[in-house]
Amino acid sequence: DTAVSQTPKYLVTQMGNDKSIKCEQNLGHDTMYWYKQDSKKFLKIMFSYNNKELIINETVPNRFSPKSPDKAHLNLHINSLELGDSAVYFCASSQDRGKTPAKDTQYFGPGTRLTVL
Amino acid sequence: DAKTTQPTSMDCAEGRAANLPCNHSTISGNEYVYWYRQIHSQGPQYIIHGLKNNETNEMASLIITEDRKSSTLILPHATLRDTAVYYCIVRVGYGGATNKLIFGTGTLLAVQP
């Protein structure tokens, strides 16, 4: 069974479109994250939710909006896509939100490669 | 969270031990050292973490110097599948309000046949 899954794996779209990436974890974790890895391979956190509550929001343009319908899902909606949004987006989850190292291990999904034309 | 410094790349012969160094000279007393790796086109994978004692699990060993200003990740018998970018990350352990991982540029370990 896949622990953290993302759909789609590849997403190619035109500038100005609105798109969503879905993430699901079956680990029973309370905290989920979105990271962005750009063309230079820098991996940077975007958002984190703990039990459906937003706890990290890293100066991401408000065109990006995470939505957590329940604690097993954290979807990423992107409005008015721009060329610079092209990247690989990784979802991750952890048992806890940063209180104890034993529960903080983050498990990452396989990534979604977004290409904006 | 303290900053880390790692070599850009390293080579290792298959079957030999791979020793990946990390400097974190500004580490605070409550900050842990974490290691993750990213195999090409995959999501990052947790390897190990530690505070001040040496740690070992099924994947690797982590050796932290007594002053905690540097550490070494050891893969005892590297295989071709260990070729990846290895990230050393320092962050607050207990009591942190968030679980934010700050990834640097990491070390590209190339295991040679």
Side-chain angles (χ1 to χ4, degrees):
Chain A
D1 281 346
T2 303
V4 181
S5 59
Q6 298 179 225
T7 53
K9 187 170 177 61
Y10 299 96
L11 183 55
V12 181
T13 188
Q14 300 286 333
M15 249 187 341
N17 285 350
D18 303 336
K19 290 293 179 185
S20 295
I21 305 172
K22 295 185 177 181
C23 178
E24 176 181 3
Q25 54 94 3
N26 62 6
L27 298 168
H29 288 170
D30 287 342
T31 308
M32 297 184 71
Y33 313 79
W34 277 109
Y35 286 81
K36 177 182 179 180
Q37 188 165 40
D38 60 24
S39 57
K40 296 183 178 178
K41 303 297 185 183
F42 289 116
L43 192 61
K44 188 172 181 181
I45 190 166
M46 300 173 68
F47 301 103
S48 176
Y49 269 73
N50 176 261
N51 279 322
K52 301 197 297 175
E53 175 192 358
L54 180 67
I55 58 172
I56 297 176
N57 185 345
E58 288 286 302
T59 58
V60 177
N62 56 17
R63 298 183 295 105
F64 291 78
S65 56
K67 287 185 171 53
S68 182
D70 54 62
K71 72 175 191 178
H73 297 84
L74 181 63
N75 304 322
L76 184 65
H77 300 276
I78 315 172
N79 295 325
S80 303
L81 277 156
E82 301 177 356
L83 294 177
D85 298 331
S86 294
V88 181
Y89 292 84
F90 290 100
C91 176
S93 73
S94 65
Q95 186 175 352
D96 206 344
R97 58 181 287 171
K99 295 178 181 177
T100 56
K103 298 180 180 179
D104 291 348
T105 299
Q106 294 186 27
Y107 296 85
F108 286 77
T112 295
R113 181 174 294 277
L114 171 65
T115 303
V116 182
L117 303 175
Chain B
D1 294 332
K3 185 177 177 180
T4 62
T5 304
Q6 300 176 250
T8 302
S9 63
M10 294 181 63
D11 287 346
C12 176
E14 190 177 18
R16 304 296 292 269
N19 298 284
L20 292 94
C22 179
N23 285 323
H24 30 78
S25 58
T26 60
I27 193 169
S28 301
N30 63 346
E31 288 183 315
Y32 280 66
V33 180
Y34 287 78
W35 284 84
Y36 281 75
R37 74 179 182 183
Q38 186 174 22
I39 296 170
H40 182 62
S41 297
Q42 297 183 21
Q45 177 189 23
Y46 166 79
I47 301 173
I48 199 168
H49 74 272
L51 181 62
K52 55 183 178 181
N53 297 322
N54 297 337
E55 302 288 344
T56 295
N57 63 19
E58 64 278 4
M59 288 184 69
S61 294
L62 175 60
I63 308 299
I64 302 174
T65 57
E66 194 168 341
D67 63 8
R68 303 209 321 121
K69 293 185 177 182
S70 66
S71 60
T72 301
L73 179 74
I74 301 173
L75 307 179
H77 305 287
T79 70
L80 298 179
R81 288 176 293 182
D82 292 322
T83 293
V85 177
Y86 287 77
Y87 298 98
C88 170
I89 301 166
V90 170
R91 62 167 290 270
V92 173
Y94 291 97
T98 64
N99 192 9
K100 183 167 64 175
L101 293 178
I102 299 176
F103 288 83
T105 53
T107 296
L108 174 59
L109 175 69
V111 180
Q112 310 291 343

